mmCIF file of all heavy atoms in Angstrom:
data_model
loop_
_atom_site.group_PDB
_atom_site.id
_atom_site.type_symbol
_atom_site.label_atom_id
_atom_site.label_comp_id
_atom_site.label_asym_id
_atom_site.label_seq_id
_atom_site.Cartn_x
_atom_site.Cartn_y
_atom_site.Cartn_z
ATOM 1 N N GLU A 87 27.334 39.691 14.368
ATOM 2 C CA GLU A 87 27.676 38.279 14.519
ATOM 3 C C GLU A 87 26.673 37.574 15.417
ATOM 4 O O GLU A 87 26.246 36.445 15.149
ATOM 5 C CB GLU A 87 29.089 38.141 15.104
ATOM 6 C CG GLU A 87 30.206 38.525 14.155
ATOM 7 C CD GLU A 87 30.293 37.562 12.980
ATOM 8 O OE1 GLU A 87 29.930 36.378 13.156
ATOM 9 O OE2 GLU A 87 30.734 37.979 11.901
ATOM 10 N N LEU A 88 26.303 38.235 16.503
ATOM 11 C CA LEU A 88 25.323 37.658 17.422
ATOM 12 C C LEU A 88 23.981 37.478 16.736
ATOM 13 O O LEU A 88 23.328 36.438 16.871
ATOM 14 C CB LEU A 88 25.182 38.563 18.652
ATOM 15 C CG LEU A 88 24.175 38.082 19.719
ATOM 16 C CD1 LEU A 88 24.588 36.702 20.252
ATOM 17 C CD2 LEU A 88 24.081 39.088 20.854
ATOM 18 N N ALA A 89 23.578 38.509 15.976
ATOM 19 C CA ALA A 89 22.303 38.429 15.260
ATOM 20 C C ALA A 89 22.340 37.319 14.220
ATOM 21 O O ALA A 89 21.376 36.568 14.041
ATOM 22 C CB ALA A 89 21.985 39.773 14.591
ATOM 23 N N LYS A 90 23.505 37.178 13.523
ATOM 24 C CA LYS A 90 23.656 36.123 12.532
ATOM 25 C C LYS A 90 23.571 34.750 13.172
ATOM 26 O O LYS A 90 22.917 33.833 12.662
ATOM 27 C CB LYS A 90 24.997 36.302 11.817
ATOM 28 C CG LYS A 90 25.230 35.284 10.712
ATOM 29 C CD LYS A 90 26.558 35.536 10.026
ATOM 30 C CE LYS A 90 26.802 34.507 8.926
ATOM 31 N NZ LYS A 90 28.116 34.731 8.265
ATOM 32 N N ALA A 91 24.287 34.631 14.332
ATOM 33 C CA ALA A 91 24.249 33.354 15.049
ATOM 34 C C ALA A 91 22.834 33.017 15.495
ATOM 35 O O ALA A 91 22.378 31.879 15.390
ATOM 36 C CB ALA A 91 25.194 33.403 16.247
ATOM 37 N N GLU A 92 22.134 34.044 16.012
ATOM 38 C CA GLU A 92 20.749 33.817 16.446
ATOM 39 C C GLU A 92 19.872 33.434 15.267
ATOM 40 O O GLU A 92 19.001 32.572 15.370
ATOM 41 C CB GLU A 92 20.215 35.084 17.130
ATOM 42 C CG GLU A 92 20.878 35.364 18.480
ATOM 43 C CD GLU A 92 20.367 36.654 19.105
ATOM 44 O OE1 GLU A 92 19.678 37.408 18.390
ATOM 45 O OE2 GLU A 92 20.665 36.900 20.286
ATOM 46 N N THR A 93 20.122 34.089 14.113
ATOM 47 C CA THR A 93 19.334 33.770 12.909
ATOM 48 C C THR A 93 19.580 32.336 12.469
ATOM 49 O O THR A 93 18.650 31.600 12.123
ATOM 50 C CB THR A 93 19.707 34.725 11.773
ATOM 51 O OG1 THR A 93 19.460 36.071 12.190
ATOM 52 C CG2 THR A 93 18.873 34.433 10.523
ATOM 53 N N GLU A 94 20.884 31.935 12.470
ATOM 54 C CA GLU A 94 21.202 30.562 12.087
ATOM 55 C C GLU A 94 20.600 29.559 13.056
ATOM 56 O O GLU A 94 20.085 28.513 12.659
ATOM 57 C CB GLU A 94 22.725 30.381 12.039
ATOM 58 C CG GLU A 94 23.388 31.155 10.893
ATOM 59 C CD GLU A 94 24.891 31.003 10.924
ATOM 60 O OE1 GLU A 94 25.402 30.437 11.909
ATOM 61 O OE2 GLU A 94 25.548 31.444 9.952
ATOM 62 N N GLU A 95 20.664 29.875 14.336
ATOM 63 C CA GLU A 95 20.068 28.985 15.337
ATOM 64 C C GLU A 95 18.563 28.891 15.147
ATOM 65 O O GLU A 95 17.972 27.809 15.221
ATOM 66 C CB GLU A 95 20.388 29.509 16.740
ATOM 67 C CG GLU A 95 19.952 28.579 17.860
ATOM 68 C CD GLU A 95 20.704 27.266 17.850
ATOM 69 O OE1 GLU A 95 21.821 27.222 17.304
ATOM 70 O OE2 GLU A 95 20.160 26.286 18.392
ATOM 71 N N SER A 96 17.946 30.052 14.860
ATOM 72 C CA SER A 96 16.496 30.056 14.615
ATOM 73 C C SER A 96 16.167 29.234 13.379
ATOM 74 O O SER A 96 15.185 28.486 13.348
ATOM 75 C CB SER A 96 16.005 31.497 14.438
ATOM 76 O OG SER A 96 16.241 32.243 15.615
ATOM 77 N N ALA A 97 17.044 29.381 12.332
ATOM 78 C CA ALA A 97 16.816 28.616 11.110
ATOM 79 C C ALA A 97 16.914 27.121 11.379
ATOM 80 O O ALA A 97 16.136 26.325 10.870
ATOM 81 C CB ALA A 97 17.828 29.026 10.039
ATOM 82 N N LYS A 98 17.932 26.745 12.221
ATOM 83 C CA LYS A 98 18.061 25.329 12.571
ATOM 84 C C LYS A 98 16.841 24.827 13.314
ATOM 85 O O LYS A 98 16.334 23.737 13.068
ATOM 86 C CB LYS A 98 19.302 25.120 13.427
ATOM 87 C CG LYS A 98 20.607 25.305 12.660
ATOM 88 C CD LYS A 98 21.800 25.079 13.566
ATOM 89 C CE LYS A 98 23.120 25.268 12.827
ATOM 90 N NZ LYS A 98 24.275 25.087 13.712
ATOM 91 N N LEU A 99 16.370 25.666 14.245
ATOM 92 C CA LEU A 99 15.179 25.274 15.007
ATOM 93 C C LEU A 99 13.976 25.152 14.093
ATOM 94 O O LEU A 99 13.173 24.222 14.207
ATOM 95 C CB LEU A 99 14.907 26.310 16.109
ATOM 96 C CG LEU A 99 15.939 26.357 17.244
ATOM 97 C CD1 LEU A 99 15.621 27.495 18.201
ATOM 98 C CD2 LEU A 99 15.972 25.023 17.998
ATOM 99 N N VAL A 100 13.875 26.107 13.139
ATOM 100 C CA VAL A 100 12.747 26.067 12.198
ATOM 101 C C VAL A 100 12.853 24.823 11.322
ATOM 102 O O VAL A 100 11.864 24.134 11.062
ATOM 103 C CB VAL A 100 12.729 27.340 11.327
ATOM 104 C CG1 VAL A 100 11.714 27.185 10.191
ATOM 105 C CG2 VAL A 100 12.375 28.550 12.173
ATOM 106 N N SER A 101 14.112 24.522 10.874
ATOM 107 C CA SER A 101 14.310 23.325 10.057
ATOM 108 C C SER A 101 13.945 22.073 10.834
ATOM 109 O O SER A 101 13.319 21.153 10.317
ATOM 110 C CB SER A 101 15.763 23.243 9.589
ATOM 111 O OG SER A 101 16.092 24.365 8.792
ATOM 112 N N ALA A 102 14.384 22.052 12.117
ATOM 113 C CA ALA A 102 14.037 20.900 12.956
ATOM 114 C C ALA A 102 12.523 20.791 13.131
ATOM 115 O O ALA A 102 11.953 19.707 13.056
ATOM 116 C CB ALA A 102 14.716 21.034 14.311
ATOM 117 N N ASP A 103 11.901 21.967 13.354
ATOM 118 C CA ASP A 103 10.433 21.958 13.495
ATOM 119 C C ASP A 103 9.778 21.507 12.207
ATOM 120 O O ASP A 103 8.813 20.731 12.215
ATOM 121 C CB ASP A 103 9.943 23.363 13.872
ATOM 122 C CG ASP A 103 10.376 23.757 15.282
ATOM 123 O OD1 ASP A 103 10.711 22.837 16.066
ATOM 124 O OD2 ASP A 103 10.389 24.959 15.604
ATOM 125 N N ASP A 104 10.325 22.016 11.060
ATOM 126 C CA ASP A 104 9.768 21.608 9.768
ATOM 127 C C ASP A 104 9.943 20.112 9.551
ATOM 128 O O ASP A 104 9.038 19.428 9.071
ATOM 129 C CB ASP A 104 10.450 22.374 8.627
ATOM 130 C CG ASP A 104 10.084 23.862 8.643
ATOM 131 O OD1 ASP A 104 9.074 24.201 9.301
ATOM 132 O OD2 ASP A 104 10.809 24.660 8.019
ATOM 133 N N ALA A 105 11.164 19.598 9.906
ATOM 134 C CA ALA A 105 11.408 18.160 9.755
ATOM 135 C C ALA A 105 10.458 17.358 10.633
ATOM 136 O O ALA A 105 9.907 16.341 10.211
ATOM 137 C CB ALA A 105 12.865 17.833 10.111
ATOM 138 N N GLN A 106 10.280 17.844 11.883
ATOM 139 C CA GLN A 106 9.366 17.153 12.795
ATOM 140 C C GLN A 106 7.939 17.197 12.250
ATOM 141 O O GLN A 106 7.217 16.187 12.277
ATOM 142 C CB GLN A 106 9.421 17.816 14.179
ATOM 143 C CG GLN A 106 8.534 17.157 15.212
ATOM 144 C CD GLN A 106 8.977 15.751 15.553
ATOM 145 O OE1 GLN A 106 10.145 15.415 15.365
ATOM 146 N NE2 GLN A 106 8.067 14.927 16.018
ATOM 147 N N ALA A 107 7.576 18.394 11.734
ATOM 148 C CA ALA A 107 6.224 18.533 11.180
ATOM 149 C C ALA A 107 6.047 17.649 9.956
ATOM 150 O O ALA A 107 5.007 17.009 9.777
ATOM 151 C CB ALA A 107 5.965 20.001 10.810
ATOM 152 N N GLU A 108 7.127 17.596 9.125
ATOM 153 C CA GLU A 108 7.054 16.744 7.936
ATOM 154 C C GLU A 108 6.948 15.278 8.332
ATOM 155 O O GLU A 108 6.173 14.522 7.757
ATOM 156 C CB GLU A 108 8.302 16.966 7.081
ATOM 157 C CG GLU A 108 8.284 16.182 5.768
ATOM 158 C CD GLU A 108 9.496 16.490 4.918
ATOM 159 O OE1 GLU A 108 10.293 17.366 5.322
ATOM 160 O OE2 GLU A 108 9.639 15.860 3.858
ATOM 161 N N LEU A 109 7.766 14.901 9.353
ATOM 162 C CA LEU A 109 7.696 13.520 9.838
ATOM 163 C C LEU A 109 6.323 13.204 10.391
ATOM 164 O O LEU A 109 5.751 12.150 10.120
ATOM 165 C CB LEU A 109 8.765 13.310 10.913
ATOM 166 C CG LEU A 109 8.846 11.910 11.523
ATOM 167 C CD1 LEU A 109 9.152 10.883 10.432
ATOM 168 C CD2 LEU A 109 9.902 11.850 12.599
ATOM 169 N N GLU A 110 5.793 14.153 11.176
ATOM 170 C CA GLU A 110 4.454 13.943 11.717
ATOM 171 C C GLU A 110 3.430 13.870 10.598
ATOM 172 O O GLU A 110 2.490 13.074 10.641
ATOM 173 C CB GLU A 110 4.111 15.070 12.690
ATOM 174 C CG GLU A 110 4.954 15.028 13.979
ATOM 175 C CD GLU A 110 4.660 16.214 14.878
ATOM 176 O OE1 GLU A 110 3.901 17.104 14.457
ATOM 177 O OE2 GLU A 110 5.183 16.247 16.019
ATOM 178 N N GLY A 111 3.643 14.730 9.567
ATOM 179 C CA GLY A 111 2.723 14.705 8.430
ATOM 180 C C GLY A 111 2.784 13.389 7.688
ATOM 181 O O GLY A 111 1.759 12.820 7.305
ATOM 182 N N GLU A 112 4.068 12.899 7.484
ATOM 183 C CA GLU A 112 4.206 11.604 6.826
ATOM 184 C C GLU A 112 3.581 10.501 7.655
ATOM 185 O O GLU A 112 2.926 9.607 7.124
ATOM 186 C CB GLU A 112 5.691 11.312 6.588
ATOM 187 C CG GLU A 112 6.337 12.220 5.543
ATOM 188 C CD GLU A 112 7.815 11.941 5.392
ATOM 189 O OE1 GLU A 112 8.329 11.139 6.196
ATOM 190 O OE2 GLU A 112 8.441 12.526 4.478
ATOM 191 N N SER A 113 3.808 10.570 8.978
ATOM 192 C CA SER A 113 3.198 9.560 9.850
ATOM 193 C C SER A 113 1.684 9.613 9.760
ATOM 194 O O SER A 113 1.001 8.588 9.700
ATOM 195 C CB SER A 113 3.651 9.777 11.300
ATOM 196 O OG SER A 113 5.056 9.655 11.410
ATOM 197 N N ALA A 114 1.185 10.859 9.731
ATOM 198 C CA ALA A 114 -0.273 11.020 9.621
ATOM 199 C C ALA A 114 -0.775 10.479 8.290
ATOM 200 O O ALA A 114 -1.814 9.820 8.219
ATOM 201 C CB ALA A 114 -0.646 12.498 9.767
ATOM 202 N N ASP A 115 0.025 10.758 7.199
ATOM 203 C CA ASP A 115 -0.374 10.244 5.886
ATOM 204 C C ASP A 115 -0.357 8.727 5.869
ATOM 205 O O ASP A 115 -1.253 8.084 5.320
ATOM 206 C CB ASP A 115 0.572 10.786 4.806
ATOM 207 C CG ASP A 115 0.391 12.286 4.587
ATOM 208 O OD1 ASP A 115 -0.676 12.795 4.982
ATOM 209 O OD2 ASP A 115 1.310 12.922 4.045
ATOM 210 N N ILE A 116 0.737 8.154 6.464
ATOM 211 C CA ILE A 116 0.828 6.694 6.506
ATOM 212 C C ILE A 116 -0.343 6.110 7.284
ATOM 213 O O ILE A 116 -0.981 5.147 6.868
ATOM 214 C CB ILE A 116 2.163 6.258 7.136
ATOM 215 C CG1 ILE A 116 3.327 6.643 6.208
ATOM 216 C CG2 ILE A 116 2.180 4.755 7.418
ATOM 217 C CD1 ILE A 116 4.685 6.421 6.833
#
Side-chain angles (χ1 to χ4, degrees):
E87 289 293 331
L88 180 60
K90 183 179 179 181
E92 291 178 349
T93 301
E94 291 177 352
E95 187 65 23
S96 298
K98 290 180 180 178
L99 292 175
V100 170
S101 299
D103 292 341
D104 291 342
Q106 181 66 23
E108 183 177 356
L109 181 60
E110 292 176 354
E112 291 177 353
S113 299
D115 291 341
I116 293 172

